[in-house]
Amino acid sequence: MDLLVQATLNGLLLGLVYALVALGLSLIWGVMEVVNLAHAEYLMLAMYATYWLWALGRVDPLVAAPVVLPLFFLLGWLTYRVLVRRVLAAPMVSQIFATFGLLFFLRYSAFAAFGPNVRGIWQSRLEGSLTLGPWYVGVPQLAAAVVALGAFALLWLFLNRTKTGKALQATAQDRVVAQTLGIDVEQMFALAWGVGIAAVALAGISLMPFYQVSPTVGDAFLLIAFASVVLGGFGTVAGALVGGIGIGLVENVLGALIAPTFKLLFAFAVFVLMLLVRPQGLVGE
């Protein structure tokens, strides 16, 4: 029983981080129906930005967000303006290949700039673990989960309590009708990219106290992000949250009860099963 509870705790904390990684992917698809295959490369770049702030200036990941997030919001905005806007009217396969090319451009730029070595942060303020009876919770993992929950709460408030957020939702529902209502759809698309890339950058910052970065770190997280949005429902904020938590629980609970070696296999089995049985996801319509 203790093993099951511990695996559930681990799965819940990690699942919230997965949800934050998946959030931007789902938001961009929900607003403009573009699959961003380069999504996890921004996670990798944000992890490097956090690492170098610590390595060069001893800036703790705990306080790196005010520096990193505006940069990645701008990077997402520029990605839309420079690349995505030019292929928006093209067939979906062209959009996919455009973001696929962007994935390799960002990855091999990281190889050229930082080399292939794995890098990590030591002696962060977020270290150690909390003991809850027979169970324990890692402080960095708990902090990352709290940050993820806070990000979802802020995004929900933005989308439902601000005029700009409601304009973004209107654009997601029908861009033509949104235009007739006077909404600048181009600005909404750029905003979706800015917010989506800032969200995955926040996940990268949160990961650095307990995860190491390399130019290929995005591989595992991209697949997990797709599995999360498929499980929860592609294109919805709630779907990213439910899907991320679900994948985290499946991975950790089944991994602990059956075989840790196959925990990713269980996550991707759920991914395939959902596509076959309920492709709209758990909370999708």
Side-chain angles (χ1 to χ4, degrees):
M1 188 61 185
D2 287 349
L3 177 63
L4 179 61
V5 174
Q6 184 65 61
T8 303
L9 280 173
N10 293 343
L12 184 60
L13 297 182
L14 190 59
L16 284 166
V17 178
Y18 288 165
L20 187 56
V21 175
L23 176 60
L25 187 69
S26 191
L27 179 68
I28 290 169
W29 171 263
V31 173
M32 51 196 306
E33 298 185 352
V34 170
V35 178
N36 180 19
L37 292 178
H39 187 69
E41 302 309 303
Y42 294 97
L43 175 91
M44 174 268 292
L45 292 176
M47 293 175 76
Y48 269 117
T50 308
Y51 168 78
W52 285 112
L53 281 173
W54 173 83
L56 300 176
R58 284 295 182 264
V59 177
D60 195 273
L62 197 62
V63 293
V67 178
V68 176
L69 292 187
L71 289 176
F72 278 78
F73 178 89
L74 180 61
L75 193 55
W77 187 87
L78 285 174
T79 302
Y80 172 75
R81 287 292 181 188
V82 174
L83 175 66
V84 179
R85 185 165 64 95
R86 301 175 192 280
V87 297
L88 201 54
M92 181 173 284
V93 66
S94 299
Q95 299 171 6
I96 290 173
F97 277 117
T99 60
F100 194 53
L102 179 62
L103 180 159
F104 285 104
F105 172 76
L106 295 176
R107 176 171 301 182
Y108 286 97
S109 295
F111 266 117
F114 311 127
N117 295 335
V118 173
R119 301 173 191 269
I121 289 176
W122 318 112
Q123 298 179 333
S124 165
R125 294 178 192 173
L126 298 173
E127 290 186 330
S129 60
L130 302 176
T131 302
L132 305 170
W135 309 291
Y136 70 90
V137 175
V139 171
Q141 290 84 351
L142 179 61
V146 170
V147 167
L149 278 176
F152 272 93
L154 286 175
L155 184 59
W156 186 88
L157 287 173
F158 170 69
L159 291 175
N160 294 282
R161 294 288 186 268
T162 68
K163 187 177 178 181
T164 305
K166 290 177 181 177
L168 195 61
Q169 290 195 72
T171 304
Q173 289 171 6
D174 193 320
R175 65 184 68 172
V176 176
V177 173
Q179 271 183 321
T180 61
L181 293 174
I183 296 171
D184 189 336
V185 172
E186 283 282 319
Q187 289 291 353
M188 292 300 108
F189 288 163
L191 177 64
W193 271 83
V195 173
I197 299 306
V200 78
L202 184 59
I205 296 168
S206 304
L207 280 166
M208 276 312 292
F210 61 97
Y211 211 96
Q212 294 177 321
V213 60
S214 73
T216 59
V217 73
D219 284 345
F221 285 100
L222 181 64
L223 295 174
I224 289 292
F226 273 106
S228 299
V229 295
V230 166
L231 178 60
F234 228 100
T236 68
V237 173
L241 180 61
V242 171
I245 293 173
I247 291 296
L249 289 173
V250 166
E251 183 184 299
N252 279 272
V253 173
L254 294 184
L257 295 179
I258 300 175
T261 309
F262 300 128
K263 62 181 185 179
L264 283 177
L265 176 65
F266 302 133
F268 294 124
V270 170
F271 173 72
V272 174
L273 189 63
M274 283 303 294
L275 285 175
L276 294 174
V277 176
R278 189 177 166 80
Q280 70 269 39
L282 292 175
V283 299
E285 296 179 356

